[in-house]
Amino acid sequence: MVPHLVTALTGPINELEQRILDATPVIERWFRLEWMEHTPPLYCSVDIRNAGFKLAPVNTNLFPGGWHNLSPDTLPLAVQAGQAAIEKICPEARNLLIVPENGKPSSFYLASLVRLQEIFRMAGLNVRFGSIDPAVKRSQTIALPDGEKMTLEPAQRTRYRLGVKNFDPCTILLNNDLSAGPPGILEELHEQYLLPPLQAGWSVRRKSRHFRCYEEVSKRFGKLLGIDPWLINPMFASCGEIDIHEPSGGECLRTNVDALLTKIRRKYKEYGINEKPFVVVKADQGTRGLGMMTVRDVRDLDAPGQWVRGKAAASVVPRGEVIIQEGVLTNERIHDAVAEPVVYMIDRYVVGGFYRVHADRTTDENLNALGAHFVPLAFDGGAQIPKPGVRAGASAPNRFYMYGVVARLALVAASYELEATDPDLQDTD
Amino acid sequence: MVPHLVTALTGPINELEQRILDATPVIERWFRLEWMEHTPPLYCSVDIRNAGFKLAPVNTNLFPGGWHNLSPDTLPLAVQAGQAAIEKICPEARNLLIVPENGKPSSFYLASLVRLQEIFRMAGLNVRFGSIDPAVKRSQTIALPDGEKMTLEPAQRTRYRLGVKNFDPCTILLNNDLSAGPPGILEELHEQYLLPPLQAGWSVRRKSRHFRCYEEVSKRFGKLLGIDPWLINPMFASCGEIDIHEPSGGECLRTNVDALLTKIRRKYKEYGINEKPFVVVKADQGTRGLGMMTVRDVRDLDAPGQWVRGKAAASVVPRGEVIIQEGVLTNERIHDAVAEPVVYMIDRYVVGGFYRVHADRTTDENLNALGAHFVPLAFDGGAQIPKPGVRAGASAPNRFYMYGVVARLALVAASYELEATDPDLQDTD
């Protein structure tokens, strides 16, 4: 049932793992103090890549789908975390409204929504779905492949509140990344809790801002543990605008790709790593793996047709602002297919995760693409609890504890990021 | 690996289960509101008996051992609950001192302590053991059968604080039931958190007080769900002192046993239950199953030698105050052996459990006796999460969710009980 995980990881990552295991009480206390000062997003998933010599988050999703990919064994953890979250936000709440993505939902997405509903129902809330898609005009019951059913209702706005028919929630859980900008229906809901807040949507969010916050977090964490923050931090640069009329994307992109590749090369040399450096160019805004391109040499940018198709057929042109991120290899494999862990959190807690596996992709490519499948392997049961005394690199639980730590560092970064863009906090400055 | 559970349960208990499943959001909100007003004990285990027609807690342990009997799969839940607890008590804490039972520890008890240490270490604390046993004069390292080691140190008292050598904890976790009364070394520790508090020890605690609180909780919960509280409440009476010179234990015991058997008979008639009522007589103070006696007829009390050996060979004479509790049959079996679930909680959360199984005991006897073994079956992985849509009685998860609800009702009762005996709260009255 559980696929065999072929993971040949040695070297620096084991030292990092050992450092993290030894420092568990220090690390957990550090997080505890962070959460006294900052508020974690209500939920979050983080894509992590383990290159064997470094381990870094490459994507932090503030509107995670894919909840159905988590092992059902991890549900109690999610429920418990959900209870802790609600208690802080709205302890007297009876009702929670989930606002899903617009558009026709896939059966996968529906399964994810149903799992979310289950988590928050078990945490003690009546949960209903309120769509803000103008196309959803009336309540509809949708059957899922496994026989379950869910009801999607049009969200109804009153002057100060959002709800669905005969249902007035205390908290609104946004599972819609607002790629098209914040719709008016969600604005000025001052009487209810909208979580994550509007500024977590892609009209405001920038990957570069997130990774700037993450860089800060990784430096502080590196100091705490006495490690080079590069071991957990993907370097990056950003360009305000790339010029898609230029074959190479313009001077800014060219210069930054070249400079970043040089920096990575220097780091590889320092650590004696015999790999070819690469960077990933992606849109600074927007979700999923769209508009992503792997670049191994600045001359790759000059290739004709580069901006039309990108390197991989699934790529599309990243328009406007871009982030150029140090490429982090993933050296984990399940049945020979390249795999990367995705860690899920609710409130401040790691509640599960899975491997994203893609048979047709290589170790330096984006796996978040059509054809990926999901193996809820890593975080089954007690897997995220380290076993003290077991040597680093030798046990899945110890490795996954490390993944949970790095994912939570990205969660801390996300909390900084949301504070930095909080309109209420800015007004008071 | 997991034994087959032969559980033939039908009738009223399935209705109760259905009622509880349907009301999940209402129940969880009810708990949430309770915990806004009351503080749960830091940890707690509850023995539950499922008679098929009623389900009730029969023992609430505020100093639970047996942590090693929980499935390792449930560790993340315990860690998460431990984190939530610490955060409220002492968020900046680095250190936790566990005060174990006095006397030479069994290897089982050591394994339980090591598991507790693991839980709180993972929650972000350095954990050491400080014995208050005067016989423990110097630090000793003890090897456990599985190769693990633990160090037991003598607790050191300064004027205002308790610790061990070079270790000053913020919180002291008491895993010692103080049967012999509160030792001076634990008194007036006003600078540290002593949890559970001194009045949770058996010199202050009375089972009858706990079950009086539980009765109140069960009435309110019964009203919430529209059920007869008897379905979850074991009736009881108490006697200030039994007369062990009288063969029958004296008038108070005789009258109360008779009256309680009559009340149970009436309830059995009301529900059409064809079982023989019985009561359990136990010491109102004190832990474990010692001094426990099953009485099916008031004439049983007259049997010669009754008070010397009790009904079962392991019984000893209950001295002083006694509680006479409605006997609750346990109708669950593992491999033909009688079994009863034990539910473990940290803070307000159910974190695991196991079946206590005793091959040599009958359905109306105490299973907490020499010869019992433990099967971490019920609460493996996602077992305490109900599956909506699965009919009552048909799924282990649904049954175990119900167990978790009843255990938490006992937890609420324990919080009332500790408030009622809190010397600080009484001073202000």
Side-chain angles (χ1 to χ4, degrees), chain A residues 213-239:
Chain A
C213 293
Y214 183 79
E215 190 169 61
E216 185 192 332
V217 173
S218 68
K219 277 181 187 161
R220 291 183 43 224
F221 187 78
K223 211 168 168 183
L224 182 79
L225 254 64
I227 58 160
D228 179 355
W230 177 73
L231 293 174
I232 53 168
N233 182 38
M235 297 185 291
F236 77 97
S238 61
C239 281

PDB file of all heavy atoms in Angstrom, chain A residues 213-239:
ATOM      1  N   CYS A 213      10.856  37.799   3.398  1.00  0.00           N
ATOM      2  CA  CYS A 213      10.530  37.500   4.801  1.00  0.00           C
ATOM      3  C   CYS A 213      11.173  36.176   5.216  1.00  0.00           C
ATOM      4  O   CYS A 213      11.715  36.054   6.316  1.00  0.00           O
ATOM      5  CB  CYS A 213       9.013  37.422   4.997  1.00  0.00           C
ATOM      6  SG  CYS A 213       8.162  38.984   4.779  1.00  0.00           S
ATOM      7  N   TYR A 214      11.109  35.196   4.312  1.00  0.00           N
ATOM      8  CA  TYR A 214      11.684  33.887   4.651  1.00  0.00           C
ATOM      9  C   TYR A 214      13.189  33.989   4.860  1.00  0.00           C
ATOM     10  O   TYR A 214      13.748  33.344   5.751  1.00  0.00           O
ATOM     11  CB  TYR A 214      11.371  32.847   3.561  1.00  0.00           C
ATOM     12  CG  TYR A 214      11.911  31.488   3.946  1.00  0.00           C
ATOM     13  CD1 TYR A 214      11.219  30.680   4.851  1.00  0.00           C
ATOM     14  CD2 TYR A 214      13.139  31.039   3.465  1.00  0.00           C
ATOM     15  CE1 TYR A 214      11.732  29.460   5.264  1.00  0.00           C
ATOM     16  CE2 TYR A 214      13.657  29.822   3.872  1.00  0.00           C
ATOM     17  CZ  TYR A 214      12.947  29.038   4.764  1.00  0.00           C
ATOM     18  OH  TYR A 214      13.464  27.834   5.173  1.00  0.00           O
ATOM     19  N   GLU A 215      13.832  34.816   4.038  1.00  0.00           N
ATOM     20  CA  GLU A 215      15.275  35.007   4.188  1.00  0.00           C
ATOM     21  C   GLU A 215      15.602  35.534   5.587  1.00  0.00           C
ATOM     22  O   GLU A 215      16.524  35.045   6.252  1.00  0.00           O
ATOM     23  CB  GLU A 215      15.756  36.006   3.133  1.00  0.00           C
ATOM     24  CG  GLU A 215      17.256  36.129   3.013  1.00  0.00           C
ATOM     25  CD  GLU A 215      17.622  36.931   1.765  1.00  0.00           C
ATOM     26  OE1 GLU A 215      17.221  38.114   1.699  1.00  0.00           O
ATOM     27  OE2 GLU A 215      18.253  36.356   0.871  1.00  0.00           O
ATOM     28  N   GLU A 216      14.814  36.487   6.031  1.00  0.00           N
ATOM     29  CA  GLU A 216      14.995  37.042   7.378  1.00  0.00           C
ATOM     30  C   GLU A 216      14.822  35.942   8.437  1.00  0.00           C
ATOM     31  O   GLU A 216      15.641  35.804   9.346  1.00  0.00           O
ATOM     32  CB  GLU A 216      13.962  38.164   7.576  1.00  0.00           C
ATOM     33  CG  GLU A 216      14.094  38.914   8.881  1.00  0.00           C
ATOM     34  CD  GLU A 216      12.863  39.805   9.141  1.00  0.00           C
ATOM     35  OE1 GLU A 216      12.216  40.252   8.170  1.00  0.00           O
ATOM     36  OE2 GLU A 216      12.548  40.023  10.333  1.00  0.00           O
ATOM     37  N   VAL A 217      13.761  35.161   8.274  1.00  0.00           N
ATOM     38  CA  VAL A 217      13.498  34.074   9.229  1.00  0.00           C
ATOM     39  C   VAL A 217      14.641  33.067   9.217  1.00  0.00           C
ATOM     40  O   VAL A 217      15.121  32.630  10.264  1.00  0.00           O
ATOM     41  CB  VAL A 217      12.159  33.366   8.888  1.00  0.00           C
ATOM     42  CG1 VAL A 217      11.955  32.123   9.752  1.00  0.00           C
ATOM     43  CG2 VAL A 217      10.986  34.321   9.056  1.00  0.00           C
ATOM     44  N   SER A 218      15.105  32.720   8.018  1.00  0.00           N
ATOM     45  CA  SER A 218      16.153  31.698   7.926  1.00  0.00           C
ATOM     46  C   SER A 218      17.468  32.200   8.532  1.00  0.00           C
ATOM     47  O   SER A 218      18.222  31.420   9.107  1.00  0.00           O
ATOM     48  CB  SER A 218      16.354  31.240   6.478  1.00  0.00           C
ATOM     49  OG  SER A 218      16.899  32.289   5.709  1.00  0.00           O
ATOM     50  N   LYS A 219      17.722  33.497   8.416  1.00  0.00           N
ATOM     51  CA  LYS A 219      18.931  34.038   9.054  1.00  0.00           C
ATOM     52  C   LYS A 219      18.846  33.922  10.565  1.00  0.00           C
ATOM     53  O   LYS A 219      19.801  33.516  11.234  1.00  0.00           O
ATOM     54  CB  LYS A 219      19.117  35.515   8.673  1.00  0.00           C
ATOM     55  CG  LYS A 219      19.789  35.689   7.331  1.00  0.00           C
ATOM     56  CD  LYS A 219      19.978  37.167   7.013  1.00  0.00           C
ATOM     57  CE  LYS A 219      20.486  37.325   5.578  1.00  0.00           C
ATOM     58  NZ  LYS A 219      20.269  38.683   5.070  1.00  0.00           N
ATOM     59  N   ARG A 220      17.705  34.282  11.116  1.00  0.00           N
ATOM     60  CA  ARG A 220      17.549  34.199  12.578  1.00  0.00           C
ATOM     61  C   ARG A 220      17.600  32.751  13.038  1.00  0.00           C
ATOM     62  O   ARG A 220      18.210  32.421  14.059  1.00  0.00           O
ATOM     63  CB  ARG A 220      16.235  34.857  13.003  1.00  0.00           C
ATOM     64  CG  ARG A 220      16.280  36.375  12.804  1.00  0.00           C
ATOM     65  CD  ARG A 220      15.012  37.066  13.279  1.00  0.00           C
ATOM     66  NE  ARG A 220      14.581  36.528  14.543  1.00  0.00           N
ATOM     67  CZ  ARG A 220      13.319  36.221  14.836  1.00  0.00           C
ATOM     68  NH1 ARG A 220      12.367  36.432  13.949  1.00  0.00           N
ATOM     69  NH2 ARG A 220      13.004  35.723  16.003  1.00  0.00           N
ATOM     70  N   PHE A 221      16.966  31.881  12.274  1.00  0.00           N
ATOM     71  CA  PHE A 221      16.968  30.463  12.636  1.00  0.00           C
ATOM     72  C   PHE A 221      18.376  29.871  12.497  1.00  0.00           C
ATOM     73  O   PHE A 221      18.811  29.064  13.320  1.00  0.00           O
ATOM     74  CB  PHE A 221      15.977  29.705  11.751  1.00  0.00           C
ATOM     75  CG  PHE A 221      15.769  28.276  12.150  1.00  0.00           C
ATOM     76  CD1 PHE A 221      14.947  27.958  13.226  1.00  0.00           C
ATOM     77  CD2 PHE A 221      16.391  27.252  11.467  1.00  0.00           C
ATOM     78  CE1 PHE A 221      14.748  26.633  13.601  1.00  0.00           C
ATOM     79  CE2 PHE A 221      16.207  25.921  11.836  1.00  0.00           C
ATOM     80  CZ  PHE A 221      15.379  25.618  12.908  1.00  0.00           C
ATOM     81  N   GLY A 222      19.078  30.308  11.449  1.00  0.00           N
ATOM     82  CA  GLY A 222      20.456  29.859  11.253  1.00  0.00           C
ATOM     83  C   GLY A 222      21.344  30.249  12.429  1.00  0.00           C
ATOM     84  O   GLY A 222      22.164  29.455  12.898  1.00  0.00           O
ATOM     85  N   LYS A 223      21.130  31.457  12.923  1.00  0.00           N
ATOM     86  CA  LYS A 223      21.886  31.928  14.074  1.00  0.00           C
ATOM     87  C   LYS A 223      21.554  31.085  15.312  1.00  0.00           C
ATOM     88  O   LYS A 223      22.439  30.695  16.076  1.00  0.00           O
ATOM     89  CB  LYS A 223      21.518  33.392  14.330  1.00  0.00           C
ATOM     90  CG  LYS A 223      22.635  34.209  14.929  1.00  0.00           C
ATOM     91  CD  LYS A 223      22.290  35.686  14.876  1.00  0.00           C
ATOM     92  CE  LYS A 223      23.260  36.486  15.735  1.00  0.00           C
ATOM     93  NZ  LYS A 223      22.880  37.914  15.752  1.00  0.00           N
ATOM     94  N   LEU A 224      20.286  30.803  15.484  1.00  0.00           N
ATOM     95  CA  LEU A 224      19.841  29.996  16.635  1.00  0.00           C
ATOM     96  C   LEU A 224      20.535  28.639  16.648  1.00  0.00           C
ATOM     97  O   LEU A 224      20.942  28.139  17.694  1.00  0.00           O
ATOM     98  CB  LEU A 224      18.316  29.806  16.556  1.00  0.00           C
ATOM     99  CG  LEU A 224      17.631  29.026  17.681  1.00  0.00           C
ATOM    100  CD1 LEU A 224      17.444  29.925  18.914  1.00  0.00           C
ATOM    101  CD2 LEU A 224      16.275  28.472  17.236  1.00  0.00           C
ATOM    102  N   LEU A 225      20.642  28.050  15.457  1.00  0.00           N
ATOM    103  CA  LEU A 225      21.194  26.694  15.362  1.00  0.00           C
ATOM    104  C   LEU A 225      22.685  26.661  15.025  1.00  0.00           C
ATOM    105  O   LEU A 225      23.296  25.596  15.043  1.00  0.00           O
ATOM    106  CB  LEU A 225      20.439  25.899  14.278  1.00  0.00           C
ATOM    107  CG  LEU A 225      19.472  24.848  14.810  1.00  0.00           C
ATOM    108  CD1 LEU A 225      18.357  25.505  15.583  1.00  0.00           C
ATOM    109  CD2 LEU A 225      18.926  24.000  13.681  1.00  0.00           C
ATOM    110  N   GLY A 226      23.231  27.835  14.691  1.00  0.00           N
ATOM    111  CA  GLY A 226      24.636  27.866  14.297  1.00  0.00           C
ATOM    112  C   GLY A 226      24.875  27.201  12.949  1.00  0.00           C
ATOM    113  O   GLY A 226      25.826  26.448  12.768  1.00  0.00           O
ATOM    114  N   ILE A 227      23.976  27.453  12.003  1.00  0.00           N
ATOM    115  CA  ILE A 227      24.144  26.891  10.657  1.00  0.00           C
ATOM    116  C   ILE A 227      24.102  28.012   9.617  1.00  0.00           C
ATOM    117  O   ILE A 227      23.550  29.088   9.870  1.00  0.00           O
ATOM    118  CB  ILE A 227      23.045  25.855  10.302  1.00  0.00           C
ATOM    119  CG1 ILE A 227      21.651  26.502  10.420  1.00  0.00           C
ATOM    120  CG2 ILE A 227      23.153  24.613  11.171  1.00  0.00           C
ATOM    121  CD1 ILE A 227      20.561  25.780   9.679  1.00  0.00           C
ATOM    122  N   ASP A 228      24.670  27.721   8.471  1.00  0.00           N
ATOM    123  CA  ASP A 228      24.595  28.621   7.324  1.00  0.00           C
ATOM    124  C   ASP A 228      23.136  28.656   6.845  1.00  0.00           C
ATOM    125  O   ASP A 228      22.585  27.616   6.472  1.00  0.00           O
ATOM    126  CB  ASP A 228      25.518  28.068   6.225  1.00  0.00           C
ATOM    127  CG  ASP A 228      25.493  28.915   4.958  1.00  0.00           C
ATOM    128  OD1 ASP A 228      24.685  29.878   4.881  1.00  0.00           O
ATOM    129  OD2 ASP A 228      26.270  28.604   4.032  1.00  0.00           O
ATOM    130  N   PRO A 229      22.495  29.829   6.869  1.00  0.00           N
ATOM    131  CA  PRO A 229      21.081  29.882   6.458  1.00  0.00           C
ATOM    132  C   PRO A 229      20.847  29.404   5.022  1.00  0.00           C
ATOM    133  O   PRO A 229      19.738  28.991   4.675  1.00  0.00           O
ATOM    134  CB  PRO A 229      20.688  31.350   6.623  1.00  0.00           C
ATOM    135  CG  PRO A 229      21.908  32.104   6.987  1.00  0.00           C
ATOM    136  CD  PRO A 229      22.994  31.137   7.335  1.00  0.00           C
ATOM    137  N   TRP A 230      21.915  29.436   4.202  1.00  0.00           N
ATOM    138  CA  TRP A 230      21.748  28.984   2.818  1.00  0.00           C
ATOM    139  C   TRP A 230      21.263  27.529   2.763  1.00  0.00           C
ATOM    140  O   TRP A 230      20.567  27.138   1.827  1.00  0.00           O
ATOM    141  CB  TRP A 230      23.080  29.115   2.052  1.00  0.00           C
ATOM    142  CG  TRP A 230      22.978  28.601   0.644  1.00  0.00           C
ATOM    143  CD1 TRP A 230      22.334  29.215  -0.403  1.00  0.00           C
ATOM    144  CD2 TRP A 230      23.496  27.373   0.122  1.00  0.00           C
ATOM    145  NE1 TRP A 230      22.432  28.449  -1.540  1.00  0.00           N
ATOM    146  CE2 TRP A 230      23.146  27.310  -1.238  1.00  0.00           C
ATOM    147  CE3 TRP A 230      24.242  26.327   0.687  1.00  0.00           C
ATOM    148  CZ2 TRP A 230      23.506  26.238  -2.054  1.00  0.00           C
ATOM    149  CZ3 TRP A 230      24.603  25.260  -0.118  1.00  0.00           C
ATOM    150  CH2 TRP A 230      24.236  25.218  -1.474  1.00  0.00           C
ATOM    151  N   LEU A 231      21.600  26.751   3.790  1.00  0.00           N
ATOM    152  CA  LEU A 231      21.187  25.344   3.802  1.00  0.00           C
ATOM    153  C   LEU A 231      19.672  25.174   3.802  1.00  0.00           C
ATOM    154  O   LEU A 231      19.160  24.108   3.459  1.00  0.00           O
ATOM    155  CB  LEU A 231      21.787  24.620   5.020  1.00  0.00           C
ATOM    156  CG  LEU A 231      23.309  24.467   5.015  1.00  0.00           C
ATOM    157  CD1 LEU A 231      23.793  23.882   6.335  1.00  0.00           C
ATOM    158  CD2 LEU A 231      23.741  23.563   3.844  1.00  0.00           C
ATOM    159  N   ILE A 232      18.967  26.225   4.212  1.00  0.00           N
ATOM    160  CA  ILE A 232      17.501  26.130   4.222  1.00  0.00           C
ATOM    161  C   ILE A 232      16.836  27.244   3.411  1.00  0.00           C
ATOM    162  O   ILE A 232      15.615  27.309   3.344  1.00  0.00           O
ATOM    163  CB  ILE A 232      16.940  26.155   5.670  1.00  0.00           C
ATOM    164  CG1 ILE A 232      17.481  27.371   6.448  1.00  0.00           C
ATOM    165  CG2 ILE A 232      17.286  24.873   6.418  1.00  0.00           C
ATOM    166  CD1 ILE A 232      16.769  27.615   7.761  1.00  0.00           C
ATOM    167  N   ASN A 233      17.638  28.096   2.798  1.00  0.00           N
ATOM    168  CA  ASN A 233      17.079  29.281   2.131  1.00  0.00           C
ATOM    169  C   ASN A 233      17.380  29.278   0.635  1.00  0.00           C
ATOM    170  O   ASN A 233      18.538  29.226   0.241  1.00  0.00           O
ATOM    171  CB  ASN A 233      17.673  30.545   2.767  1.00  0.00           C
ATOM    172  CG  ASN A 233      17.108  31.817   2.163  1.00  0.00           C
ATOM    173  OD1 ASN A 233      15.924  31.900   1.837  1.00  0.00           O
ATOM    174  ND2 ASN A 233      17.975  32.811   1.999  1.00  0.00           N
ATOM    175  N   PRO A 234      16.370  29.349  -0.207  1.00  0.00           N
ATOM    176  CA  PRO A 234      16.646  29.480  -1.635  1.00  0.00           C
ATOM    177  C   PRO A 234      16.908  30.960  -1.953  1.00  0.00           C
ATOM    178  O   PRO A 234      16.077  31.811  -1.655  1.00  0.00           O
ATOM    179  CB  PRO A 234      15.354  29.000  -2.292  1.00  0.00           C
ATOM    180  CG  PRO A 234      14.283  29.246  -1.278  1.00  0.00           C
ATOM    181  CD  PRO A 234      14.922  29.341   0.077  1.00  0.00           C
ATOM    182  N   MET A 235      18.081  31.250  -2.533  1.00  0.00           N
ATOM    183  CA  MET A 235      18.384  32.643  -2.873  1.00  0.00           C
ATOM    184  C   MET A 235      17.444  33.095  -3.998  1.00  0.00           C
ATOM    185  O   MET A 235      16.922  32.285  -4.749  1.00  0.00           O
ATOM    186  CB  MET A 235      19.838  32.763  -3.313  1.00  0.00           C
ATOM    187  CG  MET A 235      20.823  32.403  -2.193  1.00  0.00           C
ATOM    188  SD  MET A 235      22.559  32.682  -2.659  1.00  0.00           S
ATOM    189  CE  MET A 235      22.814  31.411  -3.882  1.00  0.00           C
ATOM    190  N   PHE A 236      17.250  34.398  -4.102  1.00  0.00           N
ATOM    191  CA  PHE A 236      16.364  34.880  -5.165  1.00  0.00           C
ATOM    192  C   PHE A 236      16.678  36.321  -5.526  1.00  0.00           C
ATOM    193  O   PHE A 236      17.390  37.023  -4.816  1.00  0.00           O
ATOM    194  CB  PHE A 236      14.893  34.771  -4.740  1.00  0.00           C
ATOM    195  CG  PHE A 236      14.476  35.848  -3.781  1.00  0.00           C
ATOM    196  CD1 PHE A 236      13.825  36.990  -4.228  1.00  0.00           C
ATOM    197  CD2 PHE A 236      14.770  35.733  -2.425  1.00  0.00           C
ATOM    198  CE1 PHE A 236      13.458  37.999  -3.341  1.00  0.00           C
ATOM    199  CE2 PHE A 236      14.415  36.731  -1.532  1.00  0.00           C
ATOM    200  CZ  PHE A 236      13.750  37.865  -1.989  1.00  0.00           C
ATOM    201  N   ALA A 237      16.147  36.716  -6.665  1.00  0.00           N
ATOM    202  CA  ALA A 237      16.168  38.113  -7.081  1.00  0.00           C
ATOM    203  C   ALA A 237      14.825  38.376  -7.739  1.00  0.00           C
ATOM    204  O   ALA A 237      14.074  37.442  -8.021  1.00  0.00           O
ATOM    205  CB  ALA A 237      17.305  38.348  -8.072  1.00  0.00           C
ATOM    206  N   SER A 238      14.507  39.646  -7.959  1.00  0.00           N
ATOM    207  CA  SER A 238      13.249  39.874  -8.677  1.00  0.00           C
ATOM    208  C   SER A 238      13.418  41.005  -9.683  1.00  0.00           C
ATOM    209  O   SER A 238      14.317  41.833  -9.587  1.00  0.00           O
ATOM    210  CB  SER A 238      12.120  40.179  -7.691  1.00  0.00           C
ATOM    211  OG  SER A 238      12.421  41.342  -6.950  1.00  0.00           O
ATOM    212  N   CYS A 239      12.557  40.991 -10.684  1.00  0.00           N
ATOM    213  CA  CYS A 239      12.542  42.050 -11.689  1.00  0.00           C
ATOM    214  C   CYS A 239      11.152  42.648 -11.712  1.00  0.00           C
ATOM    215  O   CYS A 239      10.155  41.921 -11.737  1.00  0.00           O
ATOM    216  CB  CYS A 239      12.857  41.477 -13.073  1.00  0.00           C
ATOM    217  SG  CYS A 239      14.617  41.192 -13.293  1.00  0.00           S
TER     218      CYS A 239
END
